Amino acid sequence: MTTEDDIDALAAEYVLGTLNGAERDSVAARAQSDEVLARAIADWEGRLSQLATALYPEVEPERADLLSRVNERIDKLDANRSGNAQIVRLQRSAMRWRAGAIAMTAMAASLAIVLGLREVMWRQVPTTYVAVLQQDDMSPAFLLSIDTSTRNVIVRPVSAPAERGKNFELWLVHSSLKTPRSLGLLSDKVPMQTEIYSDLDKATFMDATYAVSVEPEGGSKTGAPTGPVIFAGKLIPASS
């Protein structure tokens, strides 16, 4: 079975020009009917076009007739011996420029491959995880996301109307903790942002259950849930 990473790598090789003629024709034909491959090729072309723009910014010639004037000078130089020597020097310069261009193209291709590999690695080792806090599969209430590199938590309301005089409170629950840890009050209208406690190791907050209880206005006064826990969820890797 062809995976998404295999398709991405094939698209990268196609755009970078590392495939032979037959392989390139095969990929081009396949892309006509394979939307995933066609989209991957377009993505790689977009990345490389941005890279090319950064490496080779457009430069406007000082004069519109510059090319024609260069050609005229070459024609005149070709008519005499000294001119031939000049042409030899121009040809040598052109060879150096061509070699430099090839080297820069190789560098750009190498950088593009590195960027592609880095993206694959990010997909394999994600830093963002999400949890859908819900009562059942059909009733998502909040969407919680955690950036494990910063411990930053964002909770966005989905569908959880609050009761009058009550507040939703978010709790981190784990068997290694004596009691659940409050992460703050939740709004049913606007996102809430907070951070995981610094004393909790990554294994704990990654394996924890994130639960929402209904508390009196202002939240629990006991340091533990006092009302019913109506929504809960576990972390899973966010799709890239």
Side-chain angles (χ1 to χ4, degrees), residues 85-193:
Q86 292 277 2
I87 289 174
V88 169
R89 285 197 291 271
L90 286 172
Q91 289 174 336
R92 289 176 178 172
S93 295
M95 291 176 65
R96 288 197 296 270
W97 296 336
R98 188 178 300 113
I102 292 172
M104 291 299 291
T105 300
M107 289 173 61
S110 299
L111 179 57
I113 291 173
V114 170
L115 291 174
L117 290 175
R118 186 176 67 177
E119 289 184 4
V120 170
M121 292 176 65
W122 281 346
R123 284 197 293 269
Q124 292 173 343
V125 187
T127 60
T128 302
Y129 286 74
V130 298
V132 180
L133 310 183
Q134 55 191 7
Q135 281 183 319
D136 53 59
D137 292 342
M138 301 302 292
S139 305
F142 295 94
L143 179 63
L144 179 148
S145 63
I146 292 181
D147 184 335
T148 60
S149 64
T150 63
R151 293 175 172 251
N152 186 54
V153 179
I154 298 177
V155 185
R156 296 177 175 84
V158 179
S159 177
E163 298 180 37
R164 184 183 297 274
K166 301 285 186 178
N167 281 133
F168 292 121
E169 190 161 358
L170 177 65
W171 304 88
L172 185 152
V173 184
H174 194 268
S175 58
S176 66
L177 302 175
K178 294 182 179 180
T179 60
R181 302 282 292 272
S182 175
L183 293 177
L185 301 180
L186 300 179
S187 168
D188 61 347
K189 295 181 176 61
V190 298
M192 181 271 278
Q193 183 168 334

Side-chain angles (χ1 to χ4, degrees), residues 5 10 14 17 21 29 34 37-38 46 82-83 103 114 153 159 192 196 223 235:
D5 289 344
L10 182 62
Y14 176 83
D34 189 335
L37 176 59
S82 63
V114 170
V153 179
S159 177
M192 181 271 278
I196 295 293
L235 292 175

Side-chain angles (χ1 to χ4, degrees), residues 60-77:
E60 290 291 335
E62 295 180 358
R63 297 182 52 152
D65 61 343
L66 181 60
L67 179 59
S68 62
R69 294 181 66 219
V70 170
N71 289 331
E72 288 175 5
R73 291 188 62 187
I74 292 175
D75 291 340
K76 290 178 181 179
L77 292 172

